[in-house]
Amino acid sequence: MRNHPLLLLFVFAILPFAAPSMAQQPTEETFENPTIAPIVPGGTVRDSITEAVIFDWWTITLNEGDTLQATMTGEQGLAPLLGLLESGNELVERSEDGTPNATVTFMFTATESGEYRIVATRTGNADGTTVGTYSLTADVSRPAPTPEPDPYREVILDCSSADVPNALTIEFEDDADQAEAVTISVYGLDGFEPVLRTTLRFDFDPFFDQFCVTPDGVGPGAGQGDRLTMPGEETLVLEGNVPKTNFQDISQFGVVQLNVGAANDTSGRFVLVIDGLMIGPDGDRDLMQVGLGPLAQDGAFTVYQVGSKSTRLDPNVQEINADVDVVRECDDAGAFDCADVPTIDGFQWFSSELETTVEGGRFDGGLRFEPGSPDLQRVVFGSFDGRTSGDYTVVIVGEFPPRE
């Protein structure tokens, strides 16, 4: 049989399999041509190892993240051995040494896409003595496609196998200055029955997760004892069934997307409370993107930054455009340059679970967005002149109008 011109390269590529002490290195004239052929994922091939052909080379294409399990079974006395070479002929994986007529295997997860070579040989390679036939199977498992959050706001949300209209979308990213625990609660007023859908994208791995909390899906005790007071209105005491979620370590997430949905096609006002946020020192600012759902465009919404009364934070809220230019800002909702923003003074929220009280005041900032704003609005939370820091709570008050 005619020698392959690249055989010498192939032989030296498998030398890492060989025993440390070899009488002499093989030369190009030592062996005849091996089998060099593709193997399809999930396929099985059969061939033989002889004194003249001590290895075969089976090529397979792997994508990043694919896991290859190669299995070789020796027959007729062959002691099988498997290896895997990447495109530069570097040995990246190998099986254990096999005994005659044994089965050996290895698993390998590709860190980059490309063509790989499965080397089927015998224990000892050039120093080995066994010959015989073999079967080789290459099973490839591919990770499920990672769904990405829809860059456009959905009209209808898939929420716990129920379709609900999207009333509000909020997106924000992790921040090193954030507190360790963030709690999110949504309340319905005037007949509105809210649901809360949370979409997470993790920083440490390209992983995407989504879950939905409905009023009847979190147990009757969720939010039981919570109190909500809107400015100028009577206090509402909750008996439970409040859609809630929390993050114990928000820094592990890359992007958090929240959606408020209208269960049972109900209409009315909703109040979303995001508690546990923090403005750090030295001019720290936090960005959120907020917008009503497509079916809620006839309504308006107001975004407030309520500073904790136990810190010196003087809240300041800005709207910026895509070029990061400040479009408008509000330091004291209901006064001065933002007199058109309803004040949050008189607002009070009490969490029975956390035993936390948040009180709005005349120095809290806010921005009101009028009906007909189809894009997500960029809202930046900070402090006046960047000179103060501390904890704060985001309160978003919106309306889902009746559907005809």
Side-chain angles (χ1 to χ4, degrees), residues 334-369:
F336 307 111
D337 293 337
C338 49
D340 59 334
V341 180
T343 181
I344 193 73
D345 190 16
F347 170 87
Q348 188 175 91
W349 171 73
F350 172 75
S351 168
S352 60
E353 177 185 5
L354 302 176
E355 296 186 351
T356 299
T357 299
V358 173
E359 296 181 357
R362 58 190 182 90
F363 298 115
D364 293 320
L367 290 175
R368 176 179 170 83
F369 294 90

Side-chain angles (χ1 to χ4, degrees), residues 195-255:
V195 298
L196 178 64
R197 192 182 73 174
T198 304
T199 303
L200 306 175
R201 188 187 301 168
F202 294 85
D203 271 344
F204 58 80
D205 198 28
F207 180 72
F208 169 76
D209 192 18
Q210 190 174 86
F211 56 93
C212 198
V213 181
T214 61
D216 59 354
V218 294
Q224 186 173 12
D226 284 10
R227 297 193 300 269
L228 180 70
T229 306
M230 300 301 293
E233 300 181 17
E234 294 183 359
T235 298
L236 176 66
V237 180
L238 280 301
E239 297 179 356
N241 295 336
V242 176
K244 288 176 173 282
T245 190
N246 63 79
F247 309 119
Q248 292 303 313
D249 184 5
I250 197 170
S251 63
Q252 69 179 307
F253 308 117
V255 175

Side-chain angles (χ1 to χ4, degrees), residues 56-69:
D56 293 323
W57 199 15
W58 301 95
T59 62
I60 190 167
T61 298
L62 300 176
N63 298 321
E64 180 181 351
D66 287 354
T67 297
L68 166 68
Q69 180 172 4

